[in-house]
């Protein structure tokens, strides 16, 4: 095993990626909460968000290749986040409208939703490949890649700090929204018993749409953050999608705080596991975690009720 | 339509049932002892014990949430209770056509078969069939196919042998189909043979569920609120149907809210409340049991149900008269 | 009124979608170029016109449906009386009832019609290919035939048992690599000590794939449907990853080539499948027919009914005595073995590498099953023919990379507009005597008032009068 610095570096890297997984995982968990369905196309919402943020940023960054300074960089991150979130939200809305709602109106069996979502996913990422090209596209450098803080020997760059801080803020915001607001209350009501919530005057249809869009906003913004480090490409959604799903299951699908916990844990496991074995087996590690959790404790670490206090 | 008035026996299962002695608790079919079921901190069943005589109807009544369906789920393997045992003495089917049942029966001695820890399909194979409180049919399959699924539990031809249509396989298929039709006939659904189960009327779906359960040639039939949502005439039919089932040597364990219906078919009743047995006895004993009146019937309701019980007897008489008249 | 507007919106959306799908390609530097080009001036007029035509079609369909509903309602109401009485007159010993199940069977609607239809299709399938150009023959083998076989296998898993397997192609890979291991000493670094004729590999690969299916299914089939989907998806990825990374065993990304072709060496008969696609085509036809016959038998047997029961209500199936876990494993293993079977054919015919076994291939098979009709054997074979055939015919117009846009769209559109697929399975087609599933509510009631009266009498008669307490 490596030195103490190495360990803390792995931990920091793991937590950073884990925070992103958590952000995406929230989308799975929220939708699962209200529909009891895994939204297989969520990974494409994430991908479209990444492209949205990326293109907005590109349009604003001066073409001379110079790194923008201070406030301008912060502004660009914000623009990217907002554009990413908007693209993600729009994609999620379209998805709900086109691939889910017609089936709900018909009262289709569960299998139909899964298949429809898979079709939507296939459609969306291949269309993105056609429209945006099939190469990996970098987000323009917004920061000089410089270490700003050193924690227990781990070096943290400005970019990592921005990503982690933003992700954390979003997680806190969603937790607050679900736990303490009126909207959150209706989401939880639909999650627990949609029929009953409907009778109590909750507009179930609206809550479902709002939940999808909320998950889309998060995934879109998360996609932009992810692309800042790992670039954007039309197939970028798949792997983080599976991992975020794993995170959601690990924490207890349908459980907001569980998704956060699951994301961070998975990030750590993957980071250390990738170091111990081989980086190319990171995906296998995440997948093993998924299968293990599903077989041993399918309700996850914190149980599966949306909004239930941890 | 009047040609249908000849009473028809419950068709013999592919494996024939041995004729039954008169029911008595000394010859039990089911002996539940001290079953306790908890969900987290919630105790759903708390030391429930009951004993059912072979060939009898035993009713389990109790207010909503008393644990009736939980008890069913423990008996049928859907839940696994933390404590307790449920012994079951299946009626021996003829062994030749029924290897699964036969092997299960080989171990049946004085102690019977333990139900706790068996998976649901193994419970069904040993001879316990059930219906569900909220009807669960195979909605897109036709009525007869629904019953066939049950009948085929006792079939010999497995997946591989069924591939080759030998004479034996074909004959068995014919027998299965025939028996399924007879069962539909038995519950009065002859005119719905080819209808998708999901398109039947509510009461018909309930009867189809019973036919499907009977298809498995059970020794014990568990009915979970079979009269829920039924009209008065459907209730009368149900009483007749349950009696006809018992006449064929199948014991019935019944969950029901309608005390009139219970009193019309069951000689003994077990009352559950908050997961405990609070009374056991004949309908008359239960009606006068103060604990039951307090816990379940309530003051005014109790009197109302009492009167209703009398009315049931009257209605039964009317029905008999009516039939005489038709003939 | 709002229904019409909704139809207009649907039509407009579909047309816009089609415009973008078929439009020019963009890239990262011009992300909007594709869409802008798609909706450019002359094109957009064409698609607007298409939207209007589609709108008219949608409206016409709705009107037809409404008319059919009222017609059927009255017809049923009139028919129900005599039909019910007829059934009541049966002697009730079961034979009568069995015969009564197919009263309205006409010459072409019964089993004979089905057999004749299949025979005609088979004749066409046998007669046409020799006159086609070689490129088309090639496509018939490696794009249509193989995928038809794969779709038949996946159809057991998805269509019969209702289990979503997204890693289905992994078994195909297992079959192909098993063939390489057993038939050649130099195609893969890892090989068996002796080499077998590929024909003997067919049953072995079938077994190996079936065992792999059981190994994967054993622990995972307990999971709920959507979890199963994602676990199988991961399984597919892992198999591909292993094939890619284990250079020393599989040859890694270089792939496998140079396997001996299929050959028959019997006394008197010597034949080897060479480079010509036609012999492979006929071999595939034979395999497809074999698989269809076997599955057809299963479909109508106890096994098929158990699968349907599981698909429709697993809890009820289990309570009715169906060994659900075993039946699901069986479906999984059967599907896997067909996939492994197909793997042998592909391995002996052409080069393959881990890229051949990606997620998209699994999804393509799924698309074919959905399009053709879940649970319908002929449907999925025709699905393979239509989808892959179209892809082949449009190969110069639509770049292969863009195909999956269309496949994705096909899946979603089928789920929305025709979930039962191109050719629905038997159970979904209207029956001879019973009503079809979507008959209107009025007709149910008219029939029921009749039937209930009859049944209440029938049941009451069985009670012995003396037992009333």
């Amino acid at each position: 095993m490596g030195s103490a610095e190495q360990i803390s570096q792995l931990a920091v890297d793991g937590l950073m990626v884990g925070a992103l997984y958590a952000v995406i995982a929230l989308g799975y968990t929220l939708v699962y909460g209200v529909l009891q369905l895994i939204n297989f196309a969520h990974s494409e919402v994430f991908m479209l968000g990444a492209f949205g943020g990326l293109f907005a940023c590109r349009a604003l960054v001066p073409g001379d290749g110079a790194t923008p300074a201070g406030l301008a960089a912060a502004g660009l991150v914000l623009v990217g986040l907002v554009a990413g979130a908007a693209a993600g939200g729009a994609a999620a809305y379209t998805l709900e409208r086109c691939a889910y709602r017609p089936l709900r109106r018909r009262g289709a069996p569960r299998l139909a939703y899964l298949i429809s979502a898979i079709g939507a996913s296939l459609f969306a990422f291949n269309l993105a490949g056609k429209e945006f090209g099939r190469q990996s596209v970098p987000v323009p450098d917004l920061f000089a890649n410089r270490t700003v803080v050193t924690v227990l020997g781990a070096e943290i760059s400005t970019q990592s700090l921005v990503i982690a801080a933003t992700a954390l803020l979003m997680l806190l915001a969603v937790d607050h929204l679900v736990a303490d607001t009126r909207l959150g209350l209706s989401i939880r009501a639909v999650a627990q018993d949609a029929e009953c919530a409907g009778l109590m005057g909750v507009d179930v249809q609206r809550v479902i749409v709002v939940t999808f869009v909320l998950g889309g906003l998060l995934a879109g913004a998360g996609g932009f953050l992810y692309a800042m480090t790992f670039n954007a490409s039309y197939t970028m959604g798949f792997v983080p999608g599976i991992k975020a799903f794993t995170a959601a299951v690990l924490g207890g699908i349908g459980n907001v705080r569980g998704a956060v916990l699951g994301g961070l844990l998975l990030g750590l496991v993957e980071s250390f596991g990738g170091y111990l074995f081989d980086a190319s087996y990171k995906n296998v590690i995440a997948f093993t975690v998924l299968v293990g959790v599903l077989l041993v404790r399918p309700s996850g670490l914190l149980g599966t009720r949306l909004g239930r206090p941890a | 339509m009047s040609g249908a008035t000849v009473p028809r026996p419950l068709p013999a299962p592919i494996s024939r049932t041995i004729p039954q002695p008169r029911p008595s608790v000394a010859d039990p079919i089911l002996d539940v002892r001290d079953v306790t079921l908890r969900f987290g901190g919630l105790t759903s069943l708390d030391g429930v014990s009951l004993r059912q005589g072979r060939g009898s109807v035993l009713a389990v009544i109790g207010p909503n949430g008393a644990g009736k369906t939980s008890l069913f789920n423990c008996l049928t393997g859907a839940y696994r209770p933390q404590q307790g045992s449920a012994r079951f003495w299946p009626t021996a089917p003829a062994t030749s056509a029924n290897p699964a049942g036969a092997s299960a029966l080989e171990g049946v001695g004085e102690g019977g078969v333990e139900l706790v820890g068996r998976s649901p399909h193994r419970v069904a194979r040993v001879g316990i069939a059930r219906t569900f409180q909220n009807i669960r049919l195979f909605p897109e399959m036709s009525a007869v196919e629904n019953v066939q699924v049950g009948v085929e539990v006792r079939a010999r031809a497995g997946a591989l042998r069924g591939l080759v249509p030998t004479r034996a396989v074909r004959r068995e298929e014919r027998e299965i189909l025939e028996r399924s039709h007879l069962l539909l006939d038995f519950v009065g659904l002859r005119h719905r043979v080819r209808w998708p189960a999901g398109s039947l009327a509510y009461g018909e779906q309930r009867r189809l569920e019973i036919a499907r359960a009977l298809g498995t040639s059970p020794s014990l039939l568990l009915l979970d609120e079979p009269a829920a949502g039924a009209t008065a005439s459907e209730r009368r039919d149900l009483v007749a149907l349950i009696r006809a089932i018992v006449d064929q040597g199948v014991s019935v364990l019944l969950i029901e809210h309608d005390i009139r219906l219970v009193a019309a078919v069951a000689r003994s009743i077990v009352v559950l409340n908050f997961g405990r047995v609070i009374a056991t006895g004949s309908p008359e004993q239960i009606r006068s049991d103060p604990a039951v009146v307090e816990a379940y019937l309530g003051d005014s309701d109790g009197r109302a149900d009492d009167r209703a019980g009398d009315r049931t007897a009257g209605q039964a008489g009317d029905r008999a008269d009516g039939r005489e008249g038709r003939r | 009124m709002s229904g019409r507007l909704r139809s207009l919106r649907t039509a407009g959306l579909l047309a816009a979608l089609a415009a973008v799908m078929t439009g020019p390609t963009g890239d990262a530097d011009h992300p909007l170029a594709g869409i802008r080009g798609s909706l450019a001036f002359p094109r957009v007029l064409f698609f607007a016109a298409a939207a209007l035509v589609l709108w008219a079609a949608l409206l016409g369909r709705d009107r037809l449906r409404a008319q059919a509903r009222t017609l059927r309602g009255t017809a049923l109401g009139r028919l129900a009386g005599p039909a019910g009485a007829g059934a009541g007159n049966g002697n009730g010993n079961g034979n009568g009832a069995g015969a009564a199940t197919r009263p309205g069977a006409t010459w072409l609607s019964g089993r004979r019609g089905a057999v004749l239809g299949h025979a005609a299709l088979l004749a066409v399938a046998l007669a046409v290919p020799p006159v086609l150009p070689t490129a088309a023959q090639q496509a018939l083998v490696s794009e249509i035939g193989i995928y038809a076989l794969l779709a038949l296998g996946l159809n057991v898993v998805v269509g019969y048992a209702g289990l979503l397997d997204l890693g289905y192609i992994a078994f195909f890979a297992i079959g192909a690599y098993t063939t390489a291991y057993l038939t050649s000493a130099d195609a893969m670094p890892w090989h068996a000590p002796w080499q077998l004729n590929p024909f003997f590999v067919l049953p072995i690969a079938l077994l190996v794939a079936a065992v792999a299916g059981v190994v994967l299914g054993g622990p995972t089939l307990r999971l709920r449907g959507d979890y199963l989907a994602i676990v199988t998806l991961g399984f597919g990825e892992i198999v591909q990853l292993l094939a890619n990374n284990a250079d020393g065993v599989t040859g890694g990304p270089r792939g496998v080539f140079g396997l001996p072709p299929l050959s028959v060496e019997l006394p008197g008969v010597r034949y080897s499948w060479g480079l010509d696609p036609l012999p492979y085509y006929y071999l595939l036809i034979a395999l497809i027919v074999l698989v269809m016959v076997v599955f057809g038998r299963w479909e109508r047997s106890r096994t098929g009914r158990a699968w349907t029961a599981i698909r429709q209500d697993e809890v009820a199936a289990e309570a009715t005595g169906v060994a659900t876990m075993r039946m699901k494993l069986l479906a999984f293993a059967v599907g896997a073995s067909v996939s492994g079977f197909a793997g042998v054919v592909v391995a002996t015919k052409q080069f393959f590498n881990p890229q051949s076994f990606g997620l998209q291939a699994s999804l393509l098979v799924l698309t074919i099953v959905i399009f053709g009709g879940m649970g319908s054997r002929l449907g999925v074979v025709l699905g393979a023919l239509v989808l892959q055939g179209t892809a082949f015919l449009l190969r110069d117009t639509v770049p292969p990379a863009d195909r999956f846009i269309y496949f994705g769209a096909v899946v979603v559109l089928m789920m929305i507009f025709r979930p039962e697929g191109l050719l629905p399975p038997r159970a979904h087609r209207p029956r001879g005597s019973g009503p079809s599933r979507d008959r209107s509510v009025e007709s149910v009631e008219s029939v029921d008032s009749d039937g209930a009266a009859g049944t209440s009498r029938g049941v009451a008669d069985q009670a012995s009068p003396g037992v009333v307490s």
Side-chain angles (χ1 to χ4, degrees), chain C residues 238-308:
Chain C
I238 284 187
V239 166
Q240 197 192 6
L241 193 84
L242 287 179
N244 218 6
N245 284 12
D247 291 36
V249 178
T250 62
R254 281 194 314 278
V256 178
F257 47 88
L259 297 186
L262 283 163
S263 60
V264 181
E265 284 170 47
L266 294 171
V269 188
R270 282 185 141 260
Y271 185 77
S272 176
W273 274 255
L275 293 174
D276 188 11
L278 266 189
Y280 278 96
Y281 172 76
Y282 287 113
L283 176 72
L284 275 172
I285 289 281
L287 292 179
I288 288 171
V289 169
L290 174 75
V291 169
M292 279 179 74
V293 167
V294 169
F295 289 177
R297 176 74 198 149
W298 253 334
E299 210 176 279
R300 291 186 297 274
S301 78
R302 171 189 181 195
T303 311
R305 269 186 295 276
W307 280 332
T308 314

Side-chain angles (χ1 to χ4, degrees), chain B residues 5 120-121 125 136 138-140 148 152-153 157 159 162-163 173 182 188 191-192 194 199 237 316 323 326, chain C residues 92 95 101 297-298 302-303 305 312-313 318 320-322 428 431 435 439 448 455-457 459 461-462 468:
Chain B
T5 50
H121 79 267
R125 279 171 191 226
R136 303 189 80 139
F138 310 124
E140 285 172 23
Q148 268 173 286
E152 274 156 351
V153 168
L163 271 186
E173 279 177 1
L182 287 174
H191 55 306
R192 295 285 186 261
R194 298 266 286 165
S199 68
D237 291 346
R323 197 183 55 154
R326 271 212 306 278
Chain C
N95 294 337
T101 52
R297 176 74 198 149
W298 253 334
R302 171 189 181 195
T303 311
R305 269 186 295 276
Q312 298 195 0
D313 191 333
E318 175 85 19
T320 313
V322 176
H428 288 259
R431 287 152 195 279
R439 95 213 112 70
D448 282 343
T455 51
S456 62
R457 253 176 289 155
V459 171
D461 283 331
Q462 284 153 7
V468 180

